[in-house]
Every structure is written in structure tokens, then in C-alpha cells.
């Protein structure tokens, strides 16, 4: 799947016999997503050793509405549950210091039952957290703590859905921290509400950031002037907290980033993040570091793009059962991970090339480089041949990138195309029995 950049069993199998073999493997009840996932995430254990890593988690929906008549076992997805498919919840591991992609810490997939969607909100809120869909945030965090046990420090990063009181109570320890965008306007121990308390804080620092235009979201490109506030807060246990053994309150730190009205464009809302974390914050530098780590949450959004339309295109599969699709999606996460590692390596990271490519493949890449480099210095590959950045440059050129730094950097589609072309060359040489040396 990594080499062919496809989820089509016919293409993956190569022959009719190969296609049938893969089909039987997918259909085998003894092959489980749990075991596939365990094999994939285990690779992250060694790569994260002695490092501070960000474990970034989020949920995406895989939509097979167009194939509903052919696929058995799908559930409701989408806003209002008006489409059919299943949910995927991976956790991406990023080196916090070098911004290198190290692997995956967990992969969870599930089908939402129709009766679960129709259940009344009042009934769901009375259920223990372990019986709710939202437990996935806690469950994935617990798995990450096991897989990343050899890391020096782990910061679990998530968006607003992960602002769950039980998670704040159960996950943090001496080397495991949480960083989540606040969703609930929680009651504080001083009887104030979180958002009003933050609004009244003194501005502790200012900085500027170039904001790119976001089509469809009414966000125009401009230079945003940001104000940063931070403080220690103590949040009270919610009345509807399902865990009666949870403490009455939890101490956290809040970092509030708000765009100044001086730079807000007409008819647009100011950029605003209210971040909660278990990390200690004593100065502006530490607060800005928290903001920087949260910005890296963008990588999991990129991961979803790679997994779907801009790379692997998992939703194009013709498998006819939800169980089979979930197995395939779990494997596809590993293939998408390889593209993500190349994307993050394109800017000159020192990550080893051996993370993605074998020694034989590196020899072929070295041969290809001589053909792909231009005559000018601007079209030379200046990265060390031991680094993944060196390989990423070559794969991007194979994918159609021109090699000029003035161009937009290569993205998922370019790397996907480059990997596919690289595999064609590799297979052609093997068929001709050509020795790469």
C-alpha cells in the first residue's frame, strides 16, 4: 500500500491470485484491527525514546454513502447522522523539539449504531464515561502512555471535544501532560466562570503572526496582532461528572490567545484560542511554547488529508463489509504515516532516512538523484544522504516538484505521486534483474 499508493485489492495483489489472497486475509475473522493497530504503534516506542513527544489525537469520519447498497455493517456519520460510514480516531506522534513525525500511538475505529444516535441526550449524560463515545479520548491517551513509556515527556494534544473532566483527572502524571482547547465554560473554585475569568486577565505579551487566507471560512490573509494571557486556575468537578471517585477540583493552567481588535478585518471574527494544560506556566516564553505545541495539531489534519482524497484515498475502496474496511483503514494509517514523515522532512530535518527507506532503496534514490538534479545550485539536493530530507527531495522531484525553493513546498499529492513512480522504477529494475549497485 505504501509503494503503490492504493487501497484497491486488485492493484495491491498484482495478480488475480494476489488479489484473492488479500481478500481472504481481510475477510478472516482471526485478523483484527486491534492486532494490526498493535503492530503499527509498537514501532513508535523506540523512536520516541528519551524525547519529548506530542501525541496528537483527533477523529475523522470515513464516508461511504455512495456505496451504501453494497457495503454491509456501516453506521451513521456526519452532522445529523445523515450519511453512512464509520469513524477513525488515530493518535499521531511528533517530536516536540524537532517537529519530526515518529509514528502512531493508537488507532481506533468503530461503527456508530443507529439506536445510539437516536438515544436521548439526557440518557447518554447519565451513562458512565466508559460507555460513551467520548471515552475514546481517554482510552487513546491511556494507550499512548503505554506505547510512549520510554519517552522523556509526553504531551497529549487535542481539540475541544477532548475537554473532559475525567480525562483531566486520570491521564496526567509526572511525565504525561495534557494540552486541550477549552470547550466548557467551567466553574472555577473562586466561583467565577473560566471564560469570564480569562477575559479579565492582564495582557502579558504580544506577538504577530501571518494568517493565510482560508477559502470558505471567511478568513482573509492578514497580519494578526495577538495578545496572550495566562494564569493558574482550579476547575470544579461538574455536577454531571459520571465518575463519583473523581476529585472535587483539578488545578490547571490556562493560556488565552486573542487577536487584537486593531488587526481584525471587517466582518471577520478575531482569532481566539483558550488553551488548558497541565504544564507549568510562569512566563510569556512558556506560554508561547504551549501555543506553538498546539499549532502542531495541524499535522493530524494533514494526516487525514493524506489518508483520504489527497493521498491514499481510503474511501475509494470496493470492500463490501464495514469490518473489512476498518481493517484496511488501519493498514492505510501506516501508509499515510510514511507520506506524513516525508512531508515533515521536506524542510531539512535530521531524521534518519532508514525510518522510511531500506538500504537498497537508498541506493536507488542515490542513482535517481543524478538524473533529477538540475544544472544550477538552486536545483541541487543539498541535504545529507543519511537524512530523510534528502530522500524527500528526490521523491518530491519524482512527483513533479520543480525543485525551486521559491515554489510552494511539495504536499501530499506530490509525495504520493512520487512514491508511486519510485515503486514503478524499482519494480522495473527487479523484473530486468538489474543490480542497483
Amino acid at each position: 500500500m505504501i509503494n503503490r499508493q492504493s487501497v484497491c485489492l486488485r492493484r495491491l495483489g498484482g495478480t488475480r491470485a494476489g488479489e484473492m489472497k488479500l481478500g481472504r486475509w481481510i475477510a478472516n475473522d482471526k485478523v483484527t484491527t486491534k492486532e494490526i493497530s498493535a503492530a503499527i504503534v509498537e514501532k513508535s516506542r523506540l523512536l520516541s525514546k528519551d524525547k519529548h513527544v506530542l501525541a496528537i489525537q483527533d477523529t475523522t469520519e470515513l464516508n461511504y454513502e455512495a456505496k451504501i447498497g453494497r457495503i454491509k455493517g456501516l453506521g451513521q456519520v456526519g452532522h445529523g447522522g445523515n450519511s453512512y460510514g464509520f469513524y477513525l480516531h488515530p493518535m499521531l506522534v511528533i517530536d516536540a523539539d524537532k517537529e519530526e513525525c515518529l509514528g502512531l500511538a493508537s488507532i481506533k475505529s468503530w461503527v456508530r449504531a443507529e439506536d445510539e444516535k437516536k438515544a436521548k441526550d439526557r440518557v447518554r449524560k447519565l451513562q458512565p464515561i466508559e460507555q460513551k463515545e467520548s471515552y475514546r479520548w481517554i482510552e487513546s491517551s491511556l494507550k499512548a502512555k503505554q506505547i510512549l513509556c520510554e519517552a522523556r515527556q509526553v504531551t497529549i494534544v487535542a481539540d475541544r471535544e477532548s475537554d473532559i473532566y475525567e480525562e483531566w483527572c486520570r491521564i496526567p502524571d509526572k511525565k504525561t501532560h495534557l494540552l486541550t482547547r477549552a470547550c466548557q465554560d467551567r466553574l472555577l473554585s473562586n466561583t467565577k466562570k473560566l471564560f469570564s475569568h480569562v477575559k479579565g486577565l492582564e495582557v502579558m505579551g504580544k506577538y504577530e503572526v501571518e494568517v493565510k487566507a482560508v477559502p470558505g471560512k471567511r478568513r482573509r490573509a492578514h497580519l494578526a496582532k495577538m495578545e496572550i494571557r495566562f494564569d493558574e486556575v482550579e476547575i470544579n468537578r461538574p455536577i454531571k461528572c459520571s465518575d463519583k471517585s473523581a476529585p472535587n477540583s483539578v488545578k490547571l493552567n490556562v493560556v488565552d490567545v486573542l487577536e487584537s481588535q486593531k488587526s481584525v478585518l471587517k466582518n471577520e471574527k478575531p482569532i481566539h484560542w483558550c488553551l488548558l494544560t497541565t504544564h507549568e506556566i510562569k512566563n510569556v516564553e512558556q506560554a508561547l511554547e504551549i501555543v506553538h505545541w498546539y499549532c502542531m495539531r495541524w499535522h493530524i489534519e494533514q494526516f487525514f488529508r493524506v489518508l483520504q482524497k489527497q493521498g491514499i484515498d481510503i474511501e475509494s475502496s470496493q470492500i463490501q463489509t464495514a469490518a473489512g474496511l476498518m481493517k484496511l483503514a488501519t493498514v492505510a494509517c501506516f501508509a499515510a504515516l510514511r507520506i506524513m514523515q516525508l512531508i515533515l522532512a521536506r524542510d531539512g530535518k535530521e531524521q534518519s532516512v532508514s525510518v522510511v527507506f531500506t538500504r537498497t532503496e537508498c541506493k536507488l534514490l542515490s542513482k535517481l538523484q543524478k538524473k533529477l538534479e538540475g544544472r544550477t545550485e538552486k536545483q541541487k539536493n543539498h541535504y545529507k544522504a543519511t537524512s530523510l530530507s534528502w530522500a524527500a527531495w528526490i521523491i518530491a522531484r519524482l512527483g513533479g516538484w520543480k525543485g525551486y525553493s521559491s515554489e510552494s513546498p511539495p504536499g501530499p499529492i506530490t509525495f504520493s505521486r512520487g512514491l508511486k513512480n519510485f515503486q514503478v522504477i524499482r519494480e522495473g529494475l527487479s523484473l530486468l534483474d538489474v543490480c542497483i549497485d
Side-chain angles (χ1 to χ4, degrees):
M1 195 182 292
I2 294 167
N3 292 331
R4 297 180 186 273
Q5 292 301 296
S6 174
V7 293
C8 174
L9 296 189
R10 189 173 301 167
R11 293 175 190 169
L12 295 175
T15 63
R16 176 61 176 168
E19 179 188 354
M20 294 298 291
K21 183 179 180 180
L22 282 173
R24 286 193 296 268
W25 183 78
I26 289 290
N28 193 331
D29 292 337
K30 294 181 180 179
V31 177
T32 65
T33 55
K34 184 177 180 180
E35 285 184 298
I36 299 171
S37 174
I40 292 171
V41 302
E42 184 61 31
K43 298 179 182 295
S44 304
R45 189 188 302 273
L46 183 61
L47 291 175
S48 63
K49 186 176 182 180
D50 299 328
K51 297 177 181 177
H52 174 203
V53 298
L54 305 178
I56 308 169
Q57 61 175 327
D58 204 356
T59 305
T60 190
E61 59 188 50
L62 298 179
N63 194 321
Y64 295 89
E65 175 70 16
K67 304 172 185 177
I68 186 62
R70 298 199 313 260
I71 303 175
K72 299 177 181 179
L74 295 177
Q76 293 180 324
V77 296
H79 297 292
N82 52 5
S83 296
Y84 287 88
F86 63 91
Y87 289 92
L88 186 70
H89 186 92
M91 181 177 276
L92 193 65
V93 183
I94 303 291
D95 187 315
D97 301 318
K98 298 180 179 180
E99 205 165 339
E100 296 171 347
C101 184
L102 303 179
L104 291 158
S106 72
I107 309 169
K108 178 180 175 62
S109 59
W110 72 97
V111 172
R112 176 184 286 169
E114 290 190 35
D115 57 344
E116 181 180 346
K117 184 64 183 175
K118 293 177 180 178
K120 293 182 179 179
D121 290 340
R122 180 180 60 82
V123 175
R124 287 205 301 269
K125 288 178 181 179
L126 294 176
Q127 291 177 331
I129 186 69
E130 290 80 4
Q131 295 178 17
K132 298 179 183 179
E133 263 192 15
S134 55
Y135 184 65
R136 66 187 184 274
W137 302 95
I138 300 174
E139 183 183 10
S140 296
S141 298
L142 291 171
K143 288 180 179 177
K145 290 176 70 170
Q146 294 176 350
I147 293 297
L148 305 174
C149 60
E150 296 186 43
R152 170 170 47 87
Q153 185 172 253
V154 178
T155 300
I156 297 170
V157 184
D159 207 358
R160 286 180 282 199
E161 282 188 81
S162 186
D163 182 11
I164 302 168
Y165 189 79
E166 289 89 339
E167 188 175 359
W168 293 113
C169 299
R170 300 182 189 184
I171 302 303
D173 55 32
K174 289 183 178 180
K175 76 170 189 178
T176 307
H177 292 274
L178 292 177
L179 170 55
T180 300
R181 189 175 177 185
C183 177
Q184 310 294 334
D185 191 12
R186 298 189 180 278
L187 181 66
L188 306 182
S189 58
N190 60 5
T191 69
K192 288 185 178 181
K193 287 294 191 74
L194 175 64
F195 295 153
S196 60
H197 173 76
V198 168
K199 191 175 181 180
L201 293 175
E202 179 185 354
V203 176
M204 303 298 289
K206 298 180 180 181
Y207 68 99
E208 296 180 342
V209 60
E210 287 283 353
V211 178
K212 295 182 180 179
V214 183
K217 292 189 177 181
R218 298 181 181 178
R219 180 75 70 190
R220 289 169 286 174
H222 67 286
L223 182 67
K225 300 181 182 296
M226 308 301 295
E227 300 172 344
I228 191 164
R229 301 169 173 84
F230 57 89
D231 193 16
E232 183 181 66
V233 294
E234 186 173 356
I235 61 174
N236 288 344
R237 185 176 72 185
I239 296 174
K240 296 181 181 179
C241 176
S242 65
D243 186 355
K244 301 306 178 184
S245 64
N248 292 328
S249 63
V250 175
K251 288 186 178 180
L252 302 172
N253 283 285
V254 60
V255 178
D256 192 76
V257 182
L258 178 64
E259 183 179 2
S260 170
Q261 286 298 327
K262 296 178 181 178
S263 68
V264 177
L265 299 181
K266 188 178 180 180
N267 298 325
E268 289 190 9
K269 293 182 179 180
I271 299 168
H272 185 205
W273 289 349
C274 183
L275 308 176
L276 291 170
T277 182
T278 53
H279 279 285
E280 183 180 60
I281 301 171
K282 296 295 185 183
N283 51 55
V284 175
E285 288 73 23
Q286 289 176 329
L288 287 172
E289 191 170 43
I290 292 296
V291 175
H292 175 63
W293 290 340
Y294 184 77
C295 285
M296 288 197 215
R297 204 193 70 83
W298 160 254
H299 293 315
I300 199 159
E301 300 291 349
Q302 185 81 302
F303 178 80
F304 290 147
R305 288 181 174 86
V306 171
L307 188 65
Q308 293 168 292
K309 296 298 183 183
Q310 294 188 11
I312 305 298
D313 198 8
I314 184 62
E315 291 172 333
S316 68
S317 175
Q318 298 297 317
I319 290 176
Q320 297 182 355
T321 66
L325 284 171
M326 286 193 285
K327 294 175 191 178
L328 197 70
T330 305
V331 179
C333 283
F334 187 66
L337 175 67
R338 290 302 189 243
I339 299 179
M340 279 299 302
Q341 289 172 322
L342 290 171
I343 291 173
L344 267 66
R346 66 191 177 190
D347 299 323
K349 305 291 191 301
E350 292 298 320
Q351 192 171 17
S352 174
V353 68
S354 63
V355 171
V356 176
F357 296 99
T358 66
R359 187 175 298 179
T360 302
E361 288 172 333
C362 288
K363 290 179 181 178
L364 177 56
L365 287 168
S366 183
K367 298 285 186 182
L368 289 170
Q369 177 179 283
K370 296 175 183 179
K371 297 288 185 181
L372 295 170
E373 284 186 321
R375 296 180 180 180
T376 64
E377 281 298 309
K378 290 182 179 180
Q379 285 191 306
K380 299 290 184 183
N381 188 349
H382 297 288
Y383 300 117
K384 294 180 182 178
T386 56
S387 72
L388 187 57
S389 296
W390 169 80
W393 188 95
I394 298 168
I395 296 297
R397 291 286 283 117
L398 283 173
W401 182 57
K402 302 300 182 185
Y404 291 107
S405 57
S406 58
E407 277 191 339
S408 298
I413 295 174
T414 300
F415 279 116
S416 179
R417 190 187 301 126
L419 282 171
K420 190 179 294 185
N421 291 338
F422 177 71
Q423 177 62 16
V424 170
I425 296 169
R426 187 169 180 264
E427 282 193 2
L429 291 175
S430 66
L431 288 171
L432 293 171
D433 200 23
V434 174
C435 181
I436 296 173
D437 292 333

